[in-house]
Amino acid sequence: MAYDRCVAICQPLGYMMIMNQRLSVLLLLVTWVGGFVHAVAHLLFVYNLPFCGPNITDHFCCDMYPLLKPACTETYVIGLTVIASDGAVCVVIFMMSLIYGVILQSLKNLNQGWKRKALSMCGSHITVLVIFFVPCIFLYVKPPSTLSIDKFLAVFCIVFTPMLNLFIHTLRNVEMKNSMKKLSTRKRK
């Protein structure tokens, strides 16, 4: 998405040539295959673990760190692989998303109308990225343990981030802005 926005703003005339169907499908496939391989790697780690004791995890979702707690074997190495894979994925994707910085840097040469449009388009994406990836990085770039705040952050990432994502992108919708303006003028009268 960041690459798409960068091309749309920095090279608007060449957008259709650069972001063709082949590149769009390639970006989609890389995302899907990467997510699938990542999930299968976690599944393989957990599949061979011997579990004993209560089969209850003190968490709201099936996450790796709480799942390692009831295991009857040493899980330190698996915990390090979780940091290496999940933490690295979060940090790398967040850093790749900083391509928005390139977009914002290129705004110096544009007129006010284009600057406002570009900031409106990128601002919502940057907000959603920060809201999702900051808690995600905090969850996975730390020693393998479960903290009390992990449950709150998991709920934040799973429930509130998608809800805020819809809300943030809804506020960009022109019809929604016009409806909110009409509603506020009716309340004043």
Side-chain angles (χ1 to χ4, degrees), residues 25-37:
V25 169
L26 179 68
L27 290 172
L28 180 71
L29 285 176
V30 166
T31 304
W32 283 355
V33 170
F36 181 76
V37 168

Side-chain angles (χ1 to χ4, degrees), residues 13-81:
L13 297 178
Y15 178 79
M16 294 304 289
M17 294 292 292
I18 296 169
M19 288 301 296
N20 55 29
Q21 186 176 3
R22 184 172 179 243
L23 181 61
S24 298
V25 169
L26 179 68
L27 290 172
L28 180 71
L29 285 176
V30 166
T31 304
W32 283 355
V33 170
F36 181 76
V37 168
H38 186 76
V40 167
H42 282 302
L43 182 67
L44 292 176
F45 282 136
V46 174
Y47 184 73
N48 292 323
L49 283 177
F51 291 100
C52 58
N55 292 335
I56 299 170
T57 59
D58 185 29
H59 209 60
F60 294 115
C61 60
C62 185
D63 203 6
M64 281 299 284
Y65 289 144
L67 199 57
L68 295 177
K69 270 185 137 178
C72 297
T73 186
E74 181 60 42
T75 58
Y76 183 74
V77 174
I78 296 175
L80 289 179
T81 59

Side-chain angles (χ1 to χ4, degrees), residues 100-116:
Y100 284 116
V102 173
I103 296 172
L104 297 177
Q105 186 69 21
S106 69
L107 293 179
K108 289 180 190 175
N109 303 331
L110 298 176
N111 64 22
Q112 280 305 109
W114 280 100
K115 280 183 189 180
R116 196 174 323 110

Side-chain angles (χ1 to χ4, degrees), residues 11 27 34 46 49 52 56 60 76 79 102 109 121 133 139-140 142 147 151-152 156 161 163 176 183:
Q11 298 179 351
L27 290 172
V46 174
L49 283 177
C52 58
I56 299 170
F60 294 115
Y76 183 74
V102 173
N109 303 331
M121 184 170 29
F133 278 109
L139 276 172
Y140 296 113
K142 66 179 176 63
L147 302 173
K151 288 194 288 187
F152 170 76
F156 188 84
T161 301
M163 185 175 62
M176 187 66 165
L183 185 64

Side-chain angles (χ1 to χ4, degrees), residues 89-102:
V89 166
C90 286
V91 170
V92 167
I93 291 174
F94 187 65
M95 291 299 174
M96 286 172 55
S97 299
L98 293 179
I99 194 169
Y100 284 116
V102 173

